Amino acid sequence: MMTGEEGHPLPYVSEIVLKKRKIKDELAITRRTQLELGKYGAKKSKKQSDVSDIKRPEQFIKEFRDKELDLIRMKQRAKRPKSMIPKLRSKLLFIIRIQGKNDMHPKTRKILYNLRLRKVFSGVFVKATEGVMEMLLKVEPYVTYGYPNLKNVNELVYKKGYAKIDKKPVPLTDNNIIEQTLGKYGIICIEDIVHEIANVGPHFKEVIHFMGPLMLSKPEDGLIKGKKQPYKEGGDAGNREDEINDLISKMN
């Protein structure tokens, strides 16, 4: 014998209505999160501005696949015969990072960090060696490089150069700062720094570590097209040899 009323069937709700409810709920959650992060409220603090917007699962999947594809391509480039690595025509290289955000594999990012290229449009002077050229081959889609002339070395140091004192950037406007750190190597002024870099002198390494990576100006529209193909094939990346000087002049 049954005690109580028999259960009634639940009312029918169409699939379209259920989808609309789901979308509405997702939007409500996203909006609430954005409000908590200050997206539509007062001006965000630096800490809040660093927090990225919520990503959907398909975005994470795409980024993961892009990173794995980047690793595969990096390994393929590394397997190229050494005969494909161009012969060095100068002791000095200037490298500019032109690409690289969410699509980079951690191993690619590590090589860029080892080159001190942590930001897009940052540039560094390096001593040209076979080891450096092999590193550049692995990260080729994200950098462009070549042989800077004396004029551009001079202008880069004077316009963009700075010293790293206690991990803080200090403009190279006072020769006393240079002499205090590099005086023991016979480098006492900014002209000495230019000379040491341009000639890849015996204390090139000390000078480069005294200075920080150079932040170049964002290129004009059309100057960097965002193509990861080699420069010689119509892209932006890779070895420009002497033609790097045209790009430096426009970004300095």
Side-chain angles (χ1 to χ4, degrees):
M1 184 175 177
M2 294 184 64
T3 59
E5 298 179 358
E6 294 184 0
H8 296 285
L10 293 173
Y12 172 78
V13 181
S14 70
E15 186 177 354
I16 294 175
V17 173
L18 290 173
K19 285 183 178 179
K20 286 183 177 179
R21 285 180 183 174
K22 183 180 179 182
I23 293 171
K24 187 176 180 181
D25 290 340
E26 288 177 349
L27 288 173
I29 293 171
T30 302
R31 177 67 185 274
R32 185 165 61 250
T33 305
Q34 290 171 338
L35 287 170
E36 289 173 356
L37 296 177
K39 190 173 181 69
Y40 299 110
K43 186 177 180 180
K44 295 185 287 185
S45 66
K46 184 179 185 301
K47 185 175 181 181
Q48 288 174 324
S49 64
D50 290 338
V51 179
S52 59
D53 293 336
I54 294 175
K55 296 180 181 179
R56 292 180 177 274
E58 52 266 29
Q59 288 178 283
F60 287 105
I61 294 171
K62 183 181 184 303
E63 287 182 10
F64 175 79
R65 288 175 176 171
D66 288 343
K67 289 175 182 177
E68 289 302 304
L69 183 60
D70 178 57
L71 178 62
I72 292 169
R73 288 174 175 169
M74 183 181 75
K75 290 180 177 179
Q76 290 173 343
R77 290 192 297 273
K79 289 180 180 178
R80 293 177 186 174
K82 289 191 175 182
S83 58
M84 292 188 66
I85 299 177
K87 293 182 179 180
L88 299 174
R89 295 177 44 227
S90 172
K91 294 187 293 182
L92 180 66
L93 283 174
F94 189 70
I95 312 168
I96 305 172
R97 179 173 169 180
I98 57 172
Q99 296 276 358
K101 288 187 178 179
N102 296 328
D103 57 346
M104 284 195 307
H105 191 273
K107 289 187 177 181
T108 304
R109 183 176 287 105
K110 184 177 180 181
I111 294 173
L112 290 173
Y113 281 14
N114 287 341
L115 291 167
R116 303 197 304 158
L117 295 169
R118 291 177 171 267
K119 297 181 179 179
V120 177
F121 305 137
S122 59
V124 291
F125 294 105
V126 299
K127 183 177 180 180
T129 64
E130 287 189 6
V132 167
M133 296 303 289
E134 289 176 4
M135 291 173 68
L136 291 174
L137 193 63
K138 292 179 180 179
V139 296
E140 187 177 73
Y142 305 100
V143 297
T144 188
Y145 53 93
Y147 307 117
N149 56 32
L150 178 59
K151 176 179 178 291
N152 274 324
V153 173
N154 184 74
E155 291 185 354
L156 281 168
V157 173
Y158 271 90
K159 290 183 180 180
K160 304 293 186 182
Y162 63 91
K164 293 179 71 177
I165 307 296
D166 296 329
K167 297 183 179 181
K168 295 181 180 179
V170 179
L172 297 176
T173 53
D174 187 353
N175 286 334
N176 289 326
I177 296 173
I178 299 172
E179 187 174 2
Q180 286 172 9
T181 306
L182 301 174
K184 56 188 173 184
Y185 306 118
I187 300 168
I188 61 174
C189 60
I190 194 167
E191 290 84 2
D192 291 339
I193 286 179
V194 172
H195 181 271
E196 192 71 14
I197 292 174
N199 294 281
V200 191
H203 301 295
F204 175 83
K205 182 178 179 181
E206 287 80 5
V207 169
I208 293 304
H209 283 281
F210 169 71
M211 295 173 58
L214 309 180
M215 282 307 303
L216 305 180
S217 302
K218 186 177 179 181
E220 297 177 359
D221 292 341
L223 190 60
I224 297 292
K225 304 177 184 66
K227 296 180 180 179
K228 293 183 178 180
Q229 288 82 8
Y231 177 71
K232 293 181 179 180
E233 296 177 11
D236 299 318
N239 193 356
R240 297 184 181 223
E241 298 187 352
D242 293 328
E243 292 183 33
I244 191 69
N245 288 290
D246 295 331
L247 183 60
I248 292 172
S249 298
K250 293 172 181 175
M251 296 180 69
N252 191 6

